[in-house]
Amino acid sequence: MQKHSIYTHVIWDFNGTIFDDVQLGMDCVNIMLSKRGLPILGDKETYRRVFGFPIEDYYRRVGFDFEKEDYHTVLAPEWVALYVEGEPHCRLNEGVRETMGEISARNIPQIMLSASNLMQLKAQVSRLGVACFFDEILGLDNIHARSKALLAIQWKAENPESIPLLVGDTEHDAEVAAEIGADCLLFTGGHQAEEILEAKGKPLISNITHVLKYL
C-alpha cells in the first residue's frame, strides 16, 4: 500500500527544473555579450556559477552596463526574443513526465510557480504535453523575471492549511519556499551550480524522479 504523503501539494519551478533550457539560457546571453564585445560564458558550469536572481544582478555580473543600456527596455526584451526563437527546440528534463504522472496518480495537486511570463508559460506547458498535470499555473504578467515570491505568498494565503513541497533549481526557489514555510528540494541539473545550492542547506536531487522518494 502506498504510504500517504505528508505533503498536500507539490509546487514546481519551471525553467531548469521541469524544462531543460539551461543551454538555451546560456546561448541567449552569450549572443548578447558577443554583440557588445563582452567576454562570453565559456561553458555551462561557468554559466551556472554566475546565474542568479534578481536577473538584473546576474546581468551586471556578466558585464552588461545599465548606464549604457536599460535592462527593462533593451536587455530584457532582447533576451526574451532570443529565448522565444530557441525555446521550441528544448524539452523536458529526464524523468519529469513519469514523476508528474505518478504524483497525479497519488492525487497530490501540482502547482506551477515561475518567474516567467504567464502567457508564455502556459504555451510552453501546453506544447510539452504536461498541462494536464497542473491544478494551477502561476506566472508573472511581465518579462522581467524579478521574483515569484509574491505569487507564492498569495497562493499560500489562499491555501492556509496546505503543506507544500517546492521543487526548484536555484537559491531563489529555496528562498521562496522559506517565505511560505514549505520544504524544498533543489535539482542540481538546472541553472545554478551544485555548490551554490548546497549552501542553502536543502536536500539536493540529481534526477527529477528522486522527488518521489520524498512523498
Side-chain angles (χ1 to χ4, degrees):
M1 180 179 293
Q2 175 64 47
K3 182 181 177 182
H4 184 69
S5 174
I6 64 169
Y7 300 110
T8 60
H9 298 77
V10 175
I11 300 177
W12 292 95
D13 167 60
F14 183 66
N15 301 94
T17 303
I18 288 174
F19 194 46
D20 183 8
D21 63 354
V22 175
Q23 183 68 51
L24 177 59
M26 185 182 80
D27 289 346
C28 290
V29 82
N30 275 343
I31 290 170
M32 294 168 64
L33 290 169
S34 180
K35 177 181 173 182
R36 292 160 175 84
L38 296 169
I40 65 169
L41 305 176
D43 53 37
K44 283 186 180 179
E45 288 314 304
T46 301
Y47 167 78
R48 286 183 167 120
R49 285 194 293 270
V50 74
F51 179 83
F53 290 91
I55 293 295
E56 291 99 319
D57 292 348
Y58 154 57
Y59 273 37
R60 290 188 183 97
R61 284 195 294 274
V62 298
F64 292 112
D65 185 347
F66 291 176
E67 294 296 317
K68 294 180 179 179
E69 296 179 292
D70 183 69
Y71 169 75
H72 295 95
T73 61
V74 178
L75 297 172
E78 184 176 340
W79 187 93
V80 168
L82 291 167
Y83 182 88
V84 168
E85 182 179 348
E87 174 271 320
H89 302 290
C90 298
R91 298 292 180 263
L92 297 170
N93 272 313
E94 180 183 354
V96 166
R97 193 181 304 277
E98 300 90 326
T99 302
M100 289 186 168
E102 176 61 28
I103 294 171
S104 181
R106 297 185 192 185
N107 295 314
I108 301 173
Q110 299 180 78
I111 313 299
M112 171 79 75
L113 175 68
S114 176
S116 294
N117 174 267
L118 180 58
M119 290 182 63
Q120 176 184 311
L121 189 64
K122 287 182 175 180
Q124 288 176 293
V125 171
S126 177
R127 177 181 69 78
L128 293 164
V130 293
C132 60
F133 295 126
F134 293 104
D135 292 78
E136 294 181 76
I137 297 177
L138 307 175
L140 302 183
D141 62 359
N142 59 68
I143 63 169
H144 304 311
R146 284 206 164 162
S147 174
K148 54 195 174 186
L150 292 179
L151 290 174
I153 291 167
Q154 181 179 350
W155 180 86
K156 180 61 175 175
E158 294 168 356
N159 299 271
E161 302 302 317
S162 64
I163 306 173
L165 174 66
L166 192 152
V167 185
D169 71 316
T170 68
E171 293 175 296
H172 185 52
D173 291 307
E175 292 159 2
V176 169
E179 287 275 4
I180 62 171
D183 285 346
C184 181
L185 300 177
L186 295 175
F187 173 55
T188 60
H191 285 275
Q192 280 196 305
E194 183 170 344
E195 59 265 28
I196 293 174
L197 300 179
E198 194 171 30
K200 301 305 290 186
K202 304 298 181 184
L204 305 182
I205 57 172
S206 59
N207 188 289
I208 293 297
T209 58
H210 298 166
V211 171
L212 297 173
K213 298 177 183 179
Y214 292 84
L215 298 178

